[in-house]
Amino acid sequence: MRRKRIRPLAVGAGSALLAIVAVLAGLAPASAQVEVEVFDPEGPFERVIDLGRPGFGIGDQVLEIHTLLDPADGDPVGRSFTRVTVLRVFHGGEDALIAVDSTYRLDEGDIVFSGVFRLSSLAGGIRGAIHGGTGAYRDATGEAVATAAEVAGREGVVVAFDLTLP
């Protein structure tokens, strides 16, 4: 007899919980998708710090600060601050596996992302994870895709951010 009483109570409590979740889901703000694209040219500040064996190799770091440009017209739109760590070297230094941590500072706020990839993959586009930001990009998630490019005669990478904002 006791089982018959518990079952209707459990079904009723489950139905009430589902109704509450459905109401709350309708009240939650929808997330927004935002796309941002910038050109990150080589220079002017790049320093290689030789932390491993002499010469380019495992453990070395590259620190970079670049002026970001609008890929359409070449106008300045912000700055990038990047740390690259060499994880493995291939083909006598012709290629490397690297870890990248970067902050892109734009007028609307910062976008923070990181990734691990082979340098040789840059021509076809490499993907990194967006894991935060400030200002308009606060709590951003998503993906950054960097592809080797040349804009206005300068070599660098075009970085396309596909952001999800809360």
Side-chain angles (χ1 to χ4, degrees):
M1 183 105 167
R2 211 172 171 163
R3 283 189 179 170
K4 290 181 183 180
R5 267 184 115 167
I6 293 174
R7 184 176 280 164
L9 288 176
V11 171
S15 298
L17 181 60
L18 287 175
I20 291 169
V21 169
V23 169
L24 291 177
L27 297 176
S31 61
Q33 292 296 124
V34 175
E35 292 183 10
V36 176
E37 189 172 74
V38 296
F39 177 63
D40 187 347
E42 297 290 327
F45 179 81
E46 296 179 350
R47 295 292 182 266
V48 176
I49 303 169
D50 195 349
L51 297 173
R53 293 180 182 166
F56 182 71
I58 296 170
D60 291 352
Q61 290 194 345
V62 180
L63 304 177
E64 304 175 333
I65 300 174
H66 299 161
T67 298
L68 298 171
L69 306 175
D70 183 329
D73 58 21
D75 287 343
V77 295
R79 294 180 62 99
S80 67
F81 305 89
T82 303
R83 178 183 56 203
V84 177
T85 303
V86 178
L87 302 175
R88 187 169 178 196
V89 177
F90 302 97
H91 311 294
E94 295 293 318
D95 196 8
L97 181 68
I98 60 173
V100 175
D101 298 298
S102 198
T103 298
Y104 277 33
R105 181 158 294 153
L106 307 171
D107 288 340
E108 299 82 15
D110 293 355
I111 301 171
V112 179
F113 65 100
S114 63
V116 175
F117 55 90
R118 280 180 81 148
L119 282 174
S120 60
S121 300
L122 194 56
I126 55 93
R127 299 178 184 286
I130 297 168
H131 43 86
T134 65
Y137 310 116
R138 183 176 176 204
D139 297 327
T141 59
E143 184 174 68
V145 179
T147 307
E150 186 175 311
V151 172
R154 297 180 72 182
E155 291 185 11
V157 294
V158 169
V159 182
F161 296 100
D162 185 10
L163 303 157
T164 301
L165 303 172

Short mmCIF file of all heavy atoms in Angstrom, two decimals, residues 36-66:
data_model
loop_
_atom_site.label_atom_id
_atom_site.label_comp_id
_atom_site.label_asym_id
_atom_site.label_seq_id
_atom_site.Cartn_x
_atom_site.Cartn_y
_atom_site.Cartn_z
N VAL A 36 34.08 38.60 -34.94
CA VAL A 36 35.07 39.67 -35.00
C VAL A 36 36.25 39.14 -35.81
O VAL A 36 36.68 38.01 -35.60
CB VAL A 36 35.55 40.08 -33.59
CG1 VAL A 36 36.65 41.12 -33.65
CG2 VAL A 36 34.38 40.56 -32.74
N GLU A 37 36.77 39.96 -36.73
CA GLU A 37 37.92 39.55 -37.53
C GLU A 37 38.97 40.65 -37.51
O GLU A 37 38.63 41.82 -37.70
CB GLU A 37 37.49 39.25 -38.96
CG GLU A 37 38.57 38.63 -39.80
CD GLU A 37 38.06 38.18 -41.15
OE1 GLU A 37 37.81 39.04 -42.02
OE2 GLU A 37 37.89 36.95 -41.33
N VAL A 38 40.22 40.27 -37.26
CA VAL A 38 41.32 41.23 -37.21
C VAL A 38 42.52 40.65 -37.94
O VAL A 38 42.62 39.43 -38.12
CB VAL A 38 41.72 41.60 -35.77
CG1 VAL A 38 40.59 42.31 -35.04
CG2 VAL A 38 42.17 40.38 -35.00
N PHE A 39 43.42 41.54 -38.36
CA PHE A 39 44.69 41.12 -38.96
C PHE A 39 45.79 41.42 -37.96
O PHE A 39 45.91 42.54 -37.47
CB PHE A 39 44.95 41.86 -40.27
CG PHE A 39 46.28 41.52 -40.89
CD1 PHE A 39 46.57 40.23 -41.31
CD2 PHE A 39 47.24 42.50 -41.05
CE1 PHE A 39 47.80 39.92 -41.88
CE2 PHE A 39 48.47 42.20 -41.63
CZ PHE A 39 48.75 40.90 -42.05
N ASP A 40 46.58 40.40 -37.63
CA ASP A 40 47.68 40.50 -36.68
C ASP A 40 48.99 40.40 -37.47
O ASP A 40 49.46 39.30 -37.76
CB ASP A 40 47.57 39.39 -35.64
CG ASP A 40 48.56 39.51 -34.51
OD1 ASP A 40 49.50 40.31 -34.61
OD2 ASP A 40 48.38 38.79 -33.51
N PRO A 41 49.58 41.55 -37.85
CA PRO A 41 50.81 41.51 -38.65
C PRO A 41 52.04 41.18 -37.81
O PRO A 41 52.02 41.34 -36.60
CB PRO A 41 50.90 42.94 -39.21
CG PRO A 41 50.23 43.78 -38.18
CD PRO A 41 49.13 42.91 -37.59
N GLU A 42 53.08 40.75 -38.47
CA GLU A 42 54.35 40.50 -37.79
C GLU A 42 54.88 41.82 -37.23
O GLU A 42 54.73 42.88 -37.85
CB GLU A 42 55.37 39.93 -38.78
CG GLU A 42 55.00 38.58 -39.35
CD GLU A 42 55.06 37.46 -38.34
OE1 GLU A 42 55.91 37.51 -37.43
OE2 GLU A 42 54.26 36.53 -38.46
N GLY A 43 55.51 41.78 -36.05
CA GLY A 43 56.16 42.95 -35.46
C GLY A 43 55.20 43.94 -34.86
O GLY A 43 54.01 43.71 -34.85
N PRO A 44 55.63 45.01 -34.27
CA PRO A 44 57.02 45.44 -34.20
C PRO A 44 57.78 44.82 -33.03
O PRO A 44 59.01 44.83 -33.03
CB PRO A 44 56.92 46.94 -34.00
CG PRO A 44 55.66 47.11 -33.21
CD PRO A 44 54.75 46.03 -33.72
N PHE A 45 57.09 44.27 -32.03
CA PHE A 45 57.80 43.73 -30.87
C PHE A 45 57.67 42.22 -30.85
O PHE A 45 56.58 41.69 -30.66
CB PHE A 45 57.28 44.31 -29.56
CG PHE A 45 57.98 43.74 -28.35
CD1 PHE A 45 59.21 44.25 -27.96
CD2 PHE A 45 57.45 42.69 -27.64
CE1 PHE A 45 59.88 43.72 -26.86
CE2 PHE A 45 58.11 42.14 -26.55
CZ PHE A 45 59.33 42.67 -26.16
N GLU A 46 58.79 41.54 -31.04
CA GLU A 46 58.84 40.09 -30.94
C GLU A 46 60.19 39.72 -30.35
O GLU A 46 61.22 40.16 -30.85
CB GLU A 46 58.68 39.42 -32.30
CG GLU A 46 57.35 39.67 -32.95
CD GLU A 46 57.22 39.01 -34.32
OE1 GLU A 46 58.21 38.51 -34.87
OE2 GLU A 46 56.10 39.01 -34.82
N ARG A 47 60.18 38.94 -29.29
CA ARG A 47 61.42 38.52 -28.66
C ARG A 47 61.40 37.02 -28.43
O ARG A 47 60.43 36.48 -27.90
CB ARG A 47 61.64 39.22 -27.31
CG ARG A 47 61.81 40.69 -27.39
CD ARG A 47 63.13 41.06 -28.08
NE ARG A 47 63.32 42.48 -28.10
CZ ARG A 47 62.97 43.29 -29.09
NH1 ARG A 47 62.38 42.83 -30.15
NH2 ARG A 47 63.21 44.59 -29.02
N VAL A 48 62.48 36.36 -28.83
CA VAL A 48 62.65 34.93 -28.57
C VAL A 48 63.51 34.80 -27.33
O VAL A 48 64.58 35.41 -27.22
CB VAL A 48 63.34 34.23 -29.76
CG1 VAL A 48 63.59 32.76 -29.43
CG2 VAL A 48 62.50 34.36 -31.02
N ILE A 49 63.02 34.02 -26.37
CA ILE A 49 63.76 33.77 -25.14
C ILE A 49 64.20 32.32 -25.16
O ILE A 49 63.39 31.40 -25.14
CB ILE A 49 62.88 34.06 -23.89
CG1 ILE A 49 62.39 35.49 -23.94
CG2 ILE A 49 63.66 33.77 -22.62
CD1 ILE A 49 61.32 35.80 -22.92
N ASP A 50 65.50 32.12 -25.26
CA ASP A 50 66.08 30.79 -25.39
C ASP A 50 66.20 30.16 -24.00
O ASP A 50 67.14 30.40 -23.26
CB ASP A 50 67.46 30.90 -26.05
CG ASP A 50 67.98 29.56 -26.54
OD1 ASP A 50 67.38 28.52 -26.19
OD2 ASP A 50 68.97 29.56 -27.28
N LEU A 51 65.21 29.36 -23.64
CA LEU A 51 65.16 28.75 -22.31
C LEU A 51 65.63 27.31 -22.28
O LEU A 51 65.86 26.75 -21.21
CB LEU A 51 63.74 28.83 -21.74
CG LEU A 51 63.19 30.24 -21.52
CD1 LEU A 51 61.73 30.20 -21.14
CD2 LEU A 51 64.01 30.95 -20.45
N GLY A 52 65.74 26.69 -23.43
CA GLY A 52 66.18 25.29 -23.48
C GLY A 52 67.64 25.23 -23.86
O GLY A 52 68.44 26.09 -23.50
N ARG A 53 67.97 24.22 -24.62
CA ARG A 53 69.33 24.12 -25.15
C ARG A 53 69.57 25.30 -26.08
O ARG A 53 68.63 25.86 -26.64
CB ARG A 53 69.48 22.82 -25.92
CG ARG A 53 69.40 21.60 -25.04
CD ARG A 53 69.58 20.36 -25.90
NE ARG A 53 69.46 19.17 -25.07
CZ ARG A 53 69.30 17.97 -25.57
NH1 ARG A 53 69.24 17.79 -26.87
NH2 ARG A 53 69.19 16.93 -24.77
N PRO A 54 70.81 25.67 -26.30
CA PRO A 54 71.10 26.78 -27.22
C PRO A 54 70.50 26.53 -28.61
O PRO A 54 70.55 25.41 -29.12
CB PRO A 54 72.63 26.80 -27.28
CG PRO A 54 73.07 26.19 -25.99
CD PRO A 54 72.04 25.15 -25.67
N GLY A 55 69.89 27.55 -29.18
CA GLY A 55 69.21 27.43 -30.47
C GLY A 55 67.72 27.20 -30.26
O GLY A 55 67.24 27.03 -29.14
N PHE A 56 66.97 27.23 -31.33
CA PHE A 56 65.52 27.08 -31.28
C PHE A 56 65.15 25.67 -30.85
O PHE A 56 65.56 24.70 -31.49
CB PHE A 56 64.94 27.39 -32.67
CG PHE A 56 63.44 27.31 -32.75
CD1 PHE A 56 62.67 28.28 -32.14
CD2 PHE A 56 62.82 26.27 -33.42
CE1 PHE A 56 61.28 28.21 -32.21
CE2 PHE A 56 61.44 26.20 -33.50
CZ PHE A 56 60.67 27.18 -32.89
N GLY A 57 64.39 25.55 -29.74
CA GLY A 57 64.03 24.22 -29.27
C GLY A 57 62.99 24.22 -28.17
O GLY A 57 62.41 25.25 -27.82
N ILE A 58 62.78 23.04 -27.63
CA ILE A 58 61.77 22.81 -26.60
C ILE A 58 62.00 23.74 -25.41
O ILE A 58 63.11 23.91 -24.94
CB ILE A 58 61.82 21.34 -26.14
CG1 ILE A 58 61.45 20.42 -27.30
CG2 ILE A 58 60.89 21.10 -24.96
CD1 ILE A 58 61.69 18.96 -27.02
N GLY A 59 60.91 24.36 -24.96
CA GLY A 59 60.96 25.25 -23.80
C GLY A 59 61.16 26.71 -24.15
O GLY A 59 60.90 27.59 -23.33
N ASP A 60 61.63 27.00 -25.35
CA ASP A 60 61.83 28.39 -25.74
C ASP A 60 60.48 29.11 -25.78
O ASP A 60 59.44 28.50 -26.02
CB ASP A 60 62.50 28.49 -27.11
CG ASP A 60 63.95 28.04 -27.08
OD1 ASP A 60 64.48 27.79 -25.98
OD2 ASP A 60 64.55 27.93 -28.16
N GLN A 61 60.54 30.41 -25.56
CA GLN A 61 59.33 31.22 -25.61
C GLN A 61 59.52 32.38 -26.58
O GLN A 61 60.64 32.88 -26.77
CB GLN A 61 58.96 31.77 -24.24
CG GLN A 61 58.47 30.70 -23.30
CD GLN A 61 57.80 31.27 -22.08
OE1 GLN A 61 57.90 32.44 -21.77
NE2 GLN A 61 57.08 30.42 -21.37
N VAL A 62 58.41 32.79 -27.16
CA VAL A 62 58.38 33.98 -28.01
C VAL A 62 57.33 34.89 -27.41
O VAL A 62 56.20 34.47 -27.16
CB VAL A 62 58.01 33.62 -29.47
CG1 VAL A 62 57.99 34.89 -30.33
CG2 VAL A 62 58.95 32.58 -30.04
N LEU A 63 57.71 36.14 -27.13
CA LEU A 63 56.78 37.14 -26.62
C LEU A 63 56.53 38.16 -27.72
O LEU A 63 57.48 38.63 -28.36
CB LEU A 63 57.36 37.81 -25.38
CG LEU A 63 57.74 36.87 -24.24
CD1 LEU A 63 58.38 37.67 -23.10
CD2 LEU A 63 56.54 36.09 -23.75
N GLU A 64 55.27 38.51 -27.93
CA GLU A 64 54.91 39.42 -29.02
C GLU A 64 53.90 40.45 -28.56
O GLU A 64 52.97 40.13 -27.81
CB GLU A 64 54.29 38.64 -30.19
CG GLU A 64 55.15 37.53 -30.73
CD GLU A 64 54.45 36.71 -31.80
OE1 GLU A 64 53.21 36.63 -31.82
OE2 GLU A 64 55.17 36.17 -32.65
N ILE A 65 54.07 41.67 -29.04
CA ILE A 65 53.05 42.72 -28.92
C ILE A 65 52.91 43.32 -30.31
O ILE A 65 53.89 43.81 -30.88
CB ILE A 65 53.46 43.82 -27.91
CG1 ILE A 65 53.68 43.22 -26.52
CG2 ILE A 65 52.39 44.92 -27.87
CD1 ILE A 65 54.23 44.21 -25.50
N HIS A 66 51.71 43.24 -30.86
CA HIS A 66 51.46 43.73 -32.22
C HIS A 66 50.29 44.71 -32.24
O HIS A 66 49.37 44.60 -31.43
CB HIS A 66 51.10 42.56 -33.15
CG HIS A 66 52.16 41.54 -33.29
ND1 HIS A 66 51.92 40.28 -33.75
CD2 HIS A 66 53.50 41.58 -33.05
CE1 HIS A 66 53.04 39.58 -33.78
NE2 HIS A 66 54.01 40.35 -33.35
#
